[in-house]
Amino acid sequence: MASQHSQSPNRSKMGYRGIRPTVLWRIGEDIPSQLKWVLTILSILLPVGIWFFLAFRGAKFIPWPGDVWTSLLDLSGQGVLQKDTLASCFRVGCGFLLAAVLSVPIGIAMGTFASIRALLEPIIGIVRYMPAPAFIPLLILYFDVGELTKIILIFIGTIFFNVLMIMDAVKFVPKELIETTYTLGGLRHQVLFQVIVPHVIPNIFDAFRVNMAASWNLVVVAELVNANEGLGKRIRLAQRTLSTDRIFGYLIVLGLIGFAIDMFFRLLLRIFCRWAVD
């Protein structure tokens, strides 16, 4: 009996080792840096490889990658690509910045004070489910078809999601931090500005990263409706002539700009919230 009991722990350990997950499937653990780079490169090469394969097989409306590159070089040489990119970036920048400036104090106030949350959360919860493009006819009636309409559309499609994500971040600030601050003689404004705000700054950056994608989606929609220049405008013109090489090219430009913005927010997070990254 004793020998059986002494062998059971060893058997359980061997059984655990036998079913131990590989390095690819460990929950909550990092993978080796070399493997991470291999998987990162594969995430780019696999879609490009599929693209080459479909183009080689002559799939309908799938341009050859070389034609897309040539088209981008041609548009860049004419100065069209730079002008369209700047126009779209300006619209996204204005709309998103306005939404960010307003959403941070509103979201923090809603997460901190239950009275403000009870007042604003129901209406925000309703409006955020209204698709932003549905406001386009009204925005055109109110503000014509100029730049202001496109900026307001991006603002509407971004601010409510920013507010709710920031509010949720504030609601999950540990109560122990707040109670400890009061115990040490802290005042309400000190709890708000020295405890709550620093604690949710990483979440604010994450909210901006996530919702920036919505801003880029909306600028394309706005420019598809009416614009003299912009990436969405150029895609609509290319669609009329079935110039899929230009459509693919502008989609790639949109993706690269979005990726660069995402990396920018990650950099800001590392600079200003190093404790949340390390």
Side-chain angles (χ1 to χ4, degrees), residues 123-135 156-157 160-161 218:
I123 186 62
I124 291 178
I126 293 173
V127 175
R128 75 182 176 115
Y129 281 105
M130 299 178 184
F135 288 89
I156 292 174
F160 302 113
F161 294 97
L218 289 171

Side-chain angles (χ1 to χ4, degrees), residues 2-81:
S3 61
Q4 292 179 357
H5 285 292
S6 63
Q7 289 176 1
S8 58
N10 294 331
R11 288 178 181 175
S12 62
K13 290 180 181 179
M14 290 181 64
Y16 174 76
R17 286 196 293 267
I19 63 173
R20 185 173 55 185
T22 65
V23 68
L24 290 173
W25 311 114
R26 293 175 183 169
I27 298 177
E29 296 184 17
D30 290 332
I31 59 176
S33 58
Q34 292 181 345
L35 178 59
K36 182 178 180 180
W37 278 109
V38 169
L39 295 175
T40 300
I41 294 172
L42 280 178
S43 71
I44 304 297
L45 292 183
L46 284 177
V48 173
I50 294 173
W51 180 10
F52 270 92
F53 175 76
L54 294 175
F56 179 77
R57 293 294 299 271
K60 192 175 183 180
F61 299 128
I62 302 295
W64 188 253
D67 295 337
V68 174
W69 177 250
T70 301
S71 177
L72 286 176
L73 289 179
D74 180 53
L75 292 169
S76 178
Q78 299 174 19
V80 176
L81 179 61

Side-chain angles (χ1 to χ4, degrees), residues 231-249:
L231 299 173
K233 169 73 171 183
R234 202 61 53 185
I235 290 174
R236 181 164 66 91
L237 294 177
Q239 184 266 337
R240 290 179 179 177
T241 59
L242 299 180
S243 302
T244 55
D245 55 340
R246 294 196 173 190
I247 295 176
F248 269 66

